[in-house]
Amino acid sequence: MKYNSPITYCCILIIIAASCVQEGTENPQSGMVSFSELQIDFGHNLPNSRIAETSSWNHIFLNRWDTLQITNKSTGEEYKLAYLPRDFSEAYQIQLPYGEYEFEAEVPGDKYEDYLPFRIEGEFTLEATNMDISMLGNTDYGLVTVKDDFVKSAYIKGDQNYDLEYISGFFYAYVKKSQTITITIKDFFQNNPLEREVQVHKQNHYNFYLQVNETEDGEVNFIELAIGPFEYSEEFIEVEGKTVTDAAGNHYPIVKIGEQYWMAKNLRSDVFCNGDSLLVPEDTYIQGYVEQNVPLVLFAGYHPAGDRGGYYTGDVILDERNICPCGWHISTDEDWKEMEAYLGMPAEELDIFRTTLGGQFRGITQGVGSKIKDTNWPYSTNNTDANNLSGFSAYGFNNYCCSEEPPGSTKGYYVYIDDGGGLGLWWSPKSSGEDAMIGRVVSDTDSGIGRVQFYREIPSNIRCVKD
């Protein structure tokens, strides 16, 4: 029998070990790199800015595929990853060997753009099987926005006029730095050109809006500011007399939603358009008036979060004298459906009707109710979905409800406000006069709007719409 010597065994082991090393060299470890976010670095402050804060404007990125170039710093090997700047709903992934890398990409732009041009540069070291990277970009562009309220058109005036793009209630443009531009805005009242000049700095947000005059109540209607991720600088352009006044002398701000002009506060008038007075009872025992079909309004006083307005019975809705300012009318079922459709409610949901306040809401997925609800609801901490993107400013002041007749009462039942209900309700009768007892309801726990049966004896709020 033949035996191998120890030297032979040692040689065999050396060969095996060498082959393992060679195999490891040919198949280095690798990991999955995920690029999950694109952010712009905002570190600049605008000198003398009256407001120094970062806003939450959602930037509009290019809706076209671009290429991210990734380079291994040791070997110089290059990798390319396609990505869509506008869509990071899912991460963009690439398998890479362990090592040190640098990456870059650029989306260039012209003098004015409807998207944000930017550059991306960064480095990373891959030494794990998975790695997530948030890309940090820089830009030489500033953002100019114009709030849509009262605005007919908006453009940049220069050697070549540039019409601002429109999205979600704002006109906007991304403007390359170091330019002095003139913003020209025409209001829908008189079509007058109103101009402001601005020196554009990179990574700064300039928001323009039209401001109405101070009312006799001492209130000023500041249109809600656009907020975005640039440093923020705001200016207003004053528009004289752009409120609406009712027959009782009350002033209301106006908000444009689609092609409609709404009062941005609840009606609080006790005088019809023709000058006749509307009954304001001394107390809330209203049974006798309701049984005799006497129109009336109840007032619950002023609330710091926003005026409650008046609470009107159904007989006011039926009265042809018109409690709204002359040239305006009580918002109808058709008015509400037009606004709801503009805010995204599907057509198949517009006519859904319910007979109880606890029934089905409409436009929940699209957050149509959230878009009309003010974010500062009194008596409620549940209104977390509200964003008031429309400027409608709906408050949860509820309605007069819960008719009760105290024992021994000789005045009939009375009504009272249930502020704990977390609801806002408005009359919305059919424009044809049929089905007058229809209303709208929003809730602090729901993102939709209810279309619901109302009752003549239960007073509710009114919003007016321009004829």
Side-chain angles (χ1 to χ4, degrees), residues 296-329:
L296 62 87
V297 60
L298 299 174
F299 293 104
Y302 177 80
H303 191 281
D307 200 330
R308 292 176 182 270
Y311 294 82
Y312 300 84
T313 58
D315 292 300
V316 179
I317 308 305
L318 299 171
D319 200 303
E320 296 181 353
R321 290 175 292 178
N322 185 22
I323 192 61
C324 286
C326 297
W328 292 63
H329 61 270

mmCIF file of all heavy atoms in Angstrom, residues 296-329:
data_model
loop_
_atom_site.group_PDB
_atom_site.id
_atom_site.type_symbol
_atom_site.label_atom_id
_atom_site.label_comp_id
_atom_site.label_asym_id
_atom_site.label_seq_id
_atom_site.Cartn_x
_atom_site.Cartn_y
_atom_site.Cartn_z
ATOM 1 N N LEU A 296 -86.627 83.690 10.697
ATOM 2 C CA LEU A 296 -85.875 84.304 11.796
ATOM 3 C C LEU A 296 -84.415 83.877 11.742
ATOM 4 O O LEU A 296 -84.035 82.915 11.070
ATOM 5 C CB LEU A 296 -86.494 83.934 13.141
ATOM 6 C CG LEU A 296 -86.534 82.448 13.533
ATOM 7 C CD1 LEU A 296 -85.257 82.008 14.242
ATOM 8 C CD2 LEU A 296 -87.737 82.173 14.434
ATOM 9 N N VAL A 297 -83.590 84.615 12.491
ATOM 10 C CA VAL A 297 -82.175 84.292 12.633
ATOM 11 C C VAL A 297 -81.799 84.385 14.111
ATOM 12 O O VAL A 297 -82.307 85.237 14.849
ATOM 13 C CB VAL A 297 -81.287 85.250 11.794
ATOM 14 C CG1 VAL A 297 -81.467 86.707 12.228
ATOM 15 C CG2 VAL A 297 -79.814 84.850 11.898
ATOM 16 N N LEU A 298 -80.930 83.488 14.548
ATOM 17 C CA LEU A 298 -80.394 83.497 15.904
ATOM 18 C C LEU A 298 -78.897 83.768 15.834
ATOM 19 O O LEU A 298 -78.204 83.300 14.928
ATOM 20 C CB LEU A 298 -80.640 82.152 16.587
ATOM 21 C CG LEU A 298 -82.104 81.722 16.748
ATOM 22 C CD1 LEU A 298 -82.175 80.307 17.309
ATOM 23 C CD2 LEU A 298 -82.849 82.685 17.657
ATOM 24 N N PHE A 299 -78.418 84.542 16.799
ATOM 25 C CA PHE A 299 -76.988 84.833 16.866
ATOM 26 C C PHE A 299 -76.428 84.283 18.165
ATOM 27 O O PHE A 299 -77.048 84.413 19.222
ATOM 28 C CB PHE A 299 -76.734 86.340 16.783
ATOM 29 C CG PHE A 299 -77.091 86.938 15.450
ATOM 30 C CD1 PHE A 299 -78.261 87.680 15.306
ATOM 31 C CD2 PHE A 299 -76.277 86.752 14.345
ATOM 32 C CE1 PHE A 299 -78.600 88.231 14.086
ATOM 33 C CE2 PHE A 299 -76.620 87.296 13.113
ATOM 34 C CZ PHE A 299 -77.785 88.039 12.979
ATOM 35 N N ALA A 300 -75.239 83.695 18.075
ATOM 36 C CA ALA A 300 -74.613 83.107 19.259
ATOM 37 C C ALA A 300 -73.363 83.866 19.669
ATOM 38 O O ALA A 300 -72.572 83.380 20.464
ATOM 39 C CB ALA A 300 -74.261 81.646 18.994
ATOM 40 N N GLY A 301 -73.174 85.050 19.109
ATOM 41 C CA GLY A 301 -72.014 85.840 19.495
ATOM 42 C C GLY A 301 -70.797 85.529 18.651
ATOM 43 O O GLY A 301 -70.804 84.680 17.759
ATOM 44 N N TYR A 302 -69.733 86.218 18.959
ATOM 45 C CA TYR A 302 -68.488 86.117 18.191
ATOM 46 C C TYR A 302 -67.562 85.116 18.846
ATOM 47 O O TYR A 302 -67.475 85.025 20.060
ATOM 48 C CB TYR A 302 -67.824 87.493 18.134
ATOM 49 C CG TYR A 302 -66.492 87.488 17.420
ATOM 50 C CD1 TYR A 302 -66.427 87.503 16.030
ATOM 51 C CD2 TYR A 302 -65.304 87.451 18.143
ATOM 52 C CE1 TYR A 302 -65.209 87.500 15.372
ATOM 53 C CE2 TYR A 302 -64.081 87.444 17.487
ATOM 54 C CZ TYR A 302 -64.042 87.470 16.115
ATOM 55 O OH TYR A 302 -62.838 87.453 15.465
ATOM 56 N N HIS A 303 -66.853 84.337 18.024
ATOM 57 C CA HIS A 303 -65.842 83.429 18.547
ATOM 58 C C HIS A 303 -64.482 83.823 17.982
ATOM 59 O O HIS A 303 -64.366 84.105 16.786
ATOM 60 C CB HIS A 303 -66.164 81.983 18.181
ATOM 61 C CG HIS A 303 -65.306 80.998 18.925
ATOM 62 N ND1 HIS A 303 -64.010 80.721 18.553
ATOM 63 C CD2 HIS A 303 -65.547 80.247 20.028
ATOM 64 C CE1 HIS A 303 -63.486 79.845 19.390
ATOM 65 N NE2 HIS A 303 -64.390 79.532 20.282
ATOM 66 N N PRO A 304 -63.410 83.867 18.796
ATOM 67 C CA PRO A 304 -62.094 84.312 18.316
ATOM 68 C C PRO A 304 -61.573 83.516 17.128
ATOM 69 O O PRO A 304 -60.805 84.034 16.322
ATOM 70 C CB PRO A 304 -61.194 84.115 19.553
ATOM 71 C CG PRO A 304 -62.111 84.174 20.714
ATOM 72 C CD PRO A 304 -63.403 83.574 20.243
ATOM 73 N N ALA A 305 -61.963 82.249 17.006
ATOM 74 C CA ALA A 305 -61.470 81.430 15.899
ATOM 75 C C ALA A 305 -62.120 81.787 14.570
ATOM 76 O O ALA A 305 -61.710 81.317 13.523
ATOM 77 C CB ALA A 305 -61.700 79.948 16.196
ATOM 78 N N GLY A 306 -63.113 82.628 14.577
ATOM 79 C CA GLY A 306 -63.833 82.998 13.352
ATOM 80 C C GLY A 306 -65.287 83.232 13.681
ATOM 81 O O GLY A 306 -65.870 82.534 14.502
ATOM 82 N N ASP A 307 -65.893 84.226 13.056
ATOM 83 C CA ASP A 307 -67.270 84.586 13.390
ATOM 84 C C ASP A 307 -68.213 83.434 13.091
ATOM 85 O O ASP A 307 -68.197 82.859 12.013
ATOM 86 C CB ASP A 307 -67.674 85.815 12.575
ATOM 87 C CG ASP A 307 -68.865 86.521 13.187
ATOM 88 O OD1 ASP A 307 -69.696 85.851 13.818
ATOM 89 O OD2 ASP A 307 -68.953 87.750 13.035
ATOM 90 N N ARG A 308 -69.056 83.097 14.070
ATOM 91 C CA ARG A 308 -70.032 82.025 13.875
ATOM 92 C C ARG A 308 -71.007 82.348 12.756
ATOM 93 O O ARG A 308 -71.481 81.457 12.059
ATOM 94 C CB ARG A 308 -70.846 81.811 15.158
ATOM 95 C CG ARG A 308 -70.082 81.257 16.333
ATOM 96 C CD ARG A 308 -71.017 81.193 17.533
ATOM 97 N NE ARG A 308 -70.362 80.706 18.726
ATOM 98 C CZ ARG A 308 -70.291 79.426 19.081
ATOM 99 N NH1 ARG A 308 -70.814 78.508 18.288
ATOM 100 N NH2 ARG A 308 -69.704 79.057 20.199
ATOM 101 N N GLY A 309 -71.329 83.609 12.584
ATOM 102 C CA GLY A 309 -72.376 83.992 11.653
ATOM 103 C C GLY A 309 -73.741 83.796 12.281
ATOM 104 O O GLY A 309 -73.885 83.518 13.470
ATOM 105 N N GLY A 310 -74.791 83.935 11.473
ATOM 106 C CA GLY A 310 -76.147 83.746 11.963
ATOM 107 C C GLY A 310 -76.640 82.339 11.687
ATOM 108 O O GLY A 310 -76.151 81.648 10.790
ATOM 109 N N TYR A 311 -77.660 81.930 12.470
ATOM 110 C CA TYR A 311 -78.279 80.616 12.303
ATOM 111 C C TYR A 311 -79.720 80.860 11.843
ATOM 112 O O TYR A 311 -80.529 81.420 12.577
ATOM 113 C CB TYR A 311 -78.227 79.834 13.608
ATOM 114 C CG TYR A 311 -76.810 79.476 14.030
ATOM 115 C CD1 TYR A 311 -76.004 80.402 14.690
ATOM 116 C CD2 TYR A 311 -76.287 78.223 13.744
ATOM 117 C CE1 TYR A 311 -74.710 80.078 15.064
ATOM 118 C CE2 TYR A 311 -74.989 77.891 14.111
ATOM 119 C CZ TYR A 311 -74.206 78.820 14.773
ATOM 120 O OH TYR A 311 -72.927 78.501 15.143
ATOM 121 N N TYR A 312 -80.016 80.430 10.613
ATOM 122 C CA TYR A 312 -81.259 80.781 9.941
ATOM 123 C C TYR A 312 -82.187 79.569 9.836
ATOM 124 O O TYR A 312 -81.746 78.456 9.523
ATOM 125 C CB TYR A 312 -80.964 81.312 8.538
ATOM 126 C CG TYR A 312 -80.093 82.549 8.532
ATOM 127 C CD1 TYR A 312 -78.700 82.443 8.607
ATOM 128 C CD2 TYR A 312 -80.652 83.817 8.462
ATOM 129 C CE1 TYR A 312 -77.897 83.575 8.604
ATOM 130 C CE2 TYR A 312 -79.859 84.961 8.452
ATOM 131 C CZ TYR A 312 -78.477 84.830 8.528
ATOM 132 O OH TYR A 312 -77.686 85.954 8.535
ATOM 133 N N THR A 313 -83.476 79.791 10.075
ATOM 134 C CA THR A 313 -84.450 78.713 9.909
ATOM 135 C C THR A 313 -84.783 78.537 8.427
ATOM 136 O O THR A 313 -84.462 79.390 7.584
ATOM 137 C CB THR A 313 -85.743 79.011 10.679
ATOM 138 O OG1 THR A 313 -86.282 80.271 10.212
ATOM 139 C CG2 THR A 313 -85.489 79.065 12.173
ATOM 140 N N GLY A 314 -85.468 77.416 8.125
ATOM 141 C CA GLY A 314 -85.801 77.117 6.742
ATOM 142 C C GLY A 314 -86.703 78.135 6.091
ATOM 143 O O GLY A 314 -86.728 78.265 4.858
ATOM 144 N N ASP A 315 -87.477 78.892 6.879
ATOM 145 C CA ASP A 315 -88.354 79.903 6.299
ATOM 146 C C ASP A 315 -87.563 81.049 5.664
ATOM 147 O O ASP A 315 -88.059 81.712 4.748
ATOM 148 C CB ASP A 315 -89.302 80.445 7.369
ATOM 149 C CG ASP A 315 -90.304 79.395 7.830
ATOM 150 O OD1 ASP A 315 -91.075 78.905 6.977
ATOM 151 O OD2 ASP A 315 -90.302 79.051 9.024
ATOM 152 N N VAL A 316 -86.334 81.269 6.135
ATOM 153 C CA VAL A 316 -85.472 82.275 5.499
ATOM 154 C C VAL A 316 -85.036 81.778 4.124
ATOM 155 O O VAL A 316 -84.966 82.553 3.159
ATOM 156 C CB VAL A 316 -84.243 82.572 6.386
ATOM 157 C CG1 VAL A 316 -83.331 83.595 5.702
ATOM 158 C CG2 VAL A 316 -84.671 83.069 7.753
ATOM 159 N N ILE A 317 -84.767 80.494 4.032
ATOM 160 C CA ILE A 317 -84.343 79.909 2.759
ATOM 161 C C ILE A 317 -85.448 80.047 1.712
ATOM 162 O O ILE A 317 -85.172 80.267 0.533
ATOM 163 C CB ILE A 317 -83.975 78.420 2.962
ATOM 164 C CG1 ILE A 317 -82.975 78.259 4.101
ATOM 165 C CG2 ILE A 317 -83.446 77.811 1.681
ATOM 166 C CD1 ILE A 317 -81.729 79.078 3.952
ATOM 167 N N LEU A 318 -86.706 79.931 2.164
ATOM 168 C CA LEU A 318 -87.849 79.995 1.253
ATOM 169 C C LEU A 318 -88.264 81.415 0.913
ATOM 170 O O LEU A 318 -89.074 81.624 0.007
ATOM 171 C CB LEU A 318 -89.033 79.247 1.870
ATOM 172 C CG LEU A 318 -88.819 77.747 2.156
ATOM 173 C CD1 LEU A 318 -89.987 77.205 2.968
ATOM 174 C CD2 LEU A 318 -88.645 76.974 0.865
ATOM 175 N N ASP A 319 -87.732 82.397 1.627
ATOM 176 C CA ASP A 319 -88.156 83.787 1.449
ATOM 177 C C ASP A 319 -87.523 84.392 0.198
ATOM 178 O O ASP A 319 -86.296 84.369 0.030
ATOM 179 C CB ASP A 319 -87.770 84.607 2.685
ATOM 180 C CG ASP A 319 -88.570 85.883 2.801
ATOM 181 O OD1 ASP A 319 -88.537 86.694 1.859
ATOM 182 O OD2 ASP A 319 -89.242 86.069 3.840
ATOM 183 N N GLU A 320 -88.328 84.956 -0.688
ATOM 184 C CA GLU A 320 -87.841 85.499 -1.950
ATOM 185 C C GLU A 320 -87.140 86.845 -1.804
ATOM 186 O O GLU A 320 -86.558 87.345 -2.771
ATOM 187 C CB GLU A 320 -89.004 85.625 -2.944
ATOM 188 C CG GLU A 320 -89.626 84.290 -3.330
ATOM 189 C CD GLU A 320 -90.755 84.461 -4.328
ATOM 190 O OE1 GLU A 320 -91.134 85.631 -4.604
ATOM 191 O OE2 GLU A 320 -91.262 83.435 -4.831
ATOM 192 N N ARG A 321 -87.149 87.444 -0.624
ATOM 193 C CA ARG A 321 -86.524 88.752 -0.450
ATOM 194 C C ARG A 321 -84.999 88.676 -0.428
ATOM 195 O O ARG A 321 -84.332 89.706 -0.531
ATOM 196 C CB ARG A 321 -87.058 89.410 0.834
ATOM 197 C CG ARG A 321 -88.515 89.840 0.728
ATOM 198 C CD ARG A 321 -89.036 90.371 2.047
ATOM 199 N NE ARG A 321 -89.149 89.309 3.073
ATOM 200 C CZ ARG A 321 -89.552 89.518 4.319
ATOM 201 N NH1 ARG A 321 -89.849 90.766 4.717
ATOM 202 N NH2 ARG A 321 -89.644 88.506 5.174
ATOM 203 N N ASN A 322 -84.450 87.502 -0.255
ATOM 204 C CA ASN A 322 -83.000 87.257 -0.338
ATOM 205 C C ASN A 322 -82.219 87.887 0.817
ATOM 206 O O ASN A 322 -81.995 89.101 0.858
ATOM 207 C CB ASN A 322 -82.422 87.755 -1.668
ATOM 208 C CG ASN A 322 -80.931 87.394 -1.817
ATOM 209 O OD1 ASN A 322 -80.432 86.466 -1.160
ATOM 210 N ND2 ASN A 322 -80.244 88.104 -2.688
ATOM 211 N N ILE A 323 -81.784 87.046 1.741
ATOM 212 C CA ILE A 323 -81.034 87.521 2.896
ATOM 213 C C ILE A 323 -79.568 87.786 2.566
ATOM 214 O O ILE A 323 -78.864 88.465 3.316
ATOM 215 C CB ILE A 323 -81.152 86.509 4.069
ATOM 216 C CG1 ILE A 323 -80.632 87.111 5.367
ATOM 217 C CG2 ILE A 323 -80.426 85.216 3.723
ATOM 218 C CD1 ILE A 323 -81.380 88.359 5.827
ATOM 219 N N CYS A 324 -79.082 87.304 1.428
ATOM 220 C CA CYS A 324 -77.690 87.545 1.028
ATOM 221 C C CYS A 324 -77.518 88.961 0.497
ATOM 222 O O CYS A 324 -78.508 89.641 0.194
ATOM 223 C CB CYS A 324 -77.268 86.536 -0.048
ATOM 224 S SG CYS A 324 -76.976 84.860 0.580
ATOM 225 N N PRO A 325 -76.280 89.440 0.364
ATOM 226 C CA PRO A 325 -76.068 90.752 -0.248
ATOM 227 C C PRO A 325 -76.690 90.809 -1.645
ATOM 228 O O PRO A 325 -76.749 89.793 -2.351
ATOM 229 C CB PRO A 325 -74.543 90.865 -0.316
ATOM 230 C CG PRO A 325 -74.047 89.962 0.770
ATOM 231 C CD PRO A 325 -75.011 88.815 0.817
ATOM 232 N N CYS A 326 -77.149 91.950 -2.050
ATOM 233 C CA CYS A 326 -77.723 92.101 -3.388
ATOM 234 C C CYS A 326 -76.669 91.709 -4.426
ATOM 235 O O CYS A 326 -75.498 92.108 -4.333
ATOM 236 C CB CYS A 326 -78.158 93.539 -3.627
ATOM 237 S SG CYS A 326 -79.484 94.077 -2.496
ATOM 238 N N GLY A 327 -77.094 90.928 -5.417
ATOM 239 C CA GLY A 327 -76.153 90.418 -6.412
ATOM 240 C C GLY A 327 -75.541 89.090 -6.014
ATOM 241 O O GLY A 327 -74.738 88.528 -6.763
ATOM 242 N N TRP A 328 -75.915 88.611 -4.833
ATOM 243 C CA TRP A 328 -75.462 87.315 -4.330
ATOM 244 C C TRP A 328 -76.695 86.498 -3.950
ATOM 245 O O TRP A 328 -77.798 87.035 -3.854
ATOM 246 C CB TRP A 328 -74.556 87.489 -3.108
ATOM 247 C CG TRP A 328 -73.231 88.137 -3.438
ATOM 248 C CD1 TRP A 328 -73.033 89.396 -3.925
ATOM 249 C CD2 TRP A 328 -71.942 87.545 -3.312
ATOM 250 N NE1 TRP A 328 -71.697 89.648 -4.104
ATOM 251 C CE2 TRP A 328 -70.998 88.527 -3.735
ATOM 252 C CE3 TRP A 328 -71.475 86.309 -2.876
ATOM 253 C CZ2 TRP A 328 -69.631 88.291 -3.746
ATOM 254 C CZ3 TRP A 328 -70.111 86.067 -2.873
ATOM 255 C CH2 TRP A 328 -69.201 87.052 -3.306
ATOM 256 N N HIS A 329 -76.523 85.202 -3.729
ATOM 257 C CA HIS A 329 -77.647 84.351 -3.352
ATOM 258 C C HIS A 329 -77.198 83.257 -2.395
ATOM 259 O O HIS A 329 -76.001 82.965 -2.278
ATOM 260 C CB HIS A 329 -78.278 83.716 -4.602
ATOM 261 C CG HIS A 329 -77.345 82.836 -5.389
ATOM 262 N ND1 HIS A 329 -76.550 83.323 -6.407
ATOM 263 C CD2 HIS A 329 -77.055 81.511 -5.284
ATOM 264 C CE1 HIS A 329 -75.824 82.347 -6.920
ATOM 265 N NE2 HIS A 329 -76.108 81.225 -6.249
#
